Amino acid sequence: MMTRHGKLATLVASTAAAAALLTVGAAPQAGAADLDPGVTFYTGAARTGTAQRADLAQVGVCQELSAPALSYLAVSNQNVDVFFNADCRTGAPGRSGDLYYRTGTLNAGDFPYPAVSFRVRADAN
């Protein structure tokens, strides 16, 4: 027997998963190739411009993007921490601080600043 709380939690989780899939599928340029597992960075907003695939095999290694990225598409079981300074340094561009961005595992969006480096996390949290 499932409690009311359990039913509500299941409904919320199901709705969130469906919304994430719709968001990814709603991208105007999203085709079958865009939904291949992985994390892709784009030089333009809203997943436009030149695409750059993240090397997810290099877990825990700071990687530099060949060109600043303004958006991304993540369809992966790995989170990626994205930085707005070289060498995976936290902070706003040219500043120190604790600012960075985590892509999530099934997500897409625009960055608040151009992303220049990233690190694949060992865990999915």
Side-chain angles (χ1 to χ4, degrees):
M1 183 173 146
M2 185 179 274
T3 65
R4 178 181 165 107
H5 177 72
K7 286 180 182 178
L8 181 60
T10 301
L11 177 63
V12 168
S14 298
T15 303
L21 287 173
L22 288 174
T23 300
V24 170
Q29 68 282 5
D34 290 334
L35 296 179
D36 285 340
V39 176
T40 305
F41 297 103
Y42 296 89
T43 57
R47 295 164 310 286
T48 61
T50 303
Q52 306 171 69
R53 294 280 289 191
D55 183 352
L56 299 179
Q58 293 190 38
V59 175
V61 176
C62 182
Q63 301 175 61
E64 304 291 325
L65 290 165
S66 59
L70 298 180
S71 61
Y72 72 95
L73 172 64
V75 181
S76 170
N77 64 350
Q78 292 172 283
N79 286 305
V80 175
D81 290 342
V82 179
F83 303 90
F84 310 112
N85 290 302
D87 301 321
C88 296
R89 287 179 292 119
T90 58
R95 297 187 176 142
S96 61
D98 59 359
L99 179 69
Y100 69 100
Y101 191 98
R102 184 164 298 156
T103 63
T105 57
L106 181 58
N107 201 355
D110 292 344
F111 297 119
Y113 300 104
V116 296
S117 61
F118 67 94
R119 181 180 296 123
V120 179
R121 293 183 53 88
D123 61 1
N125 295 323

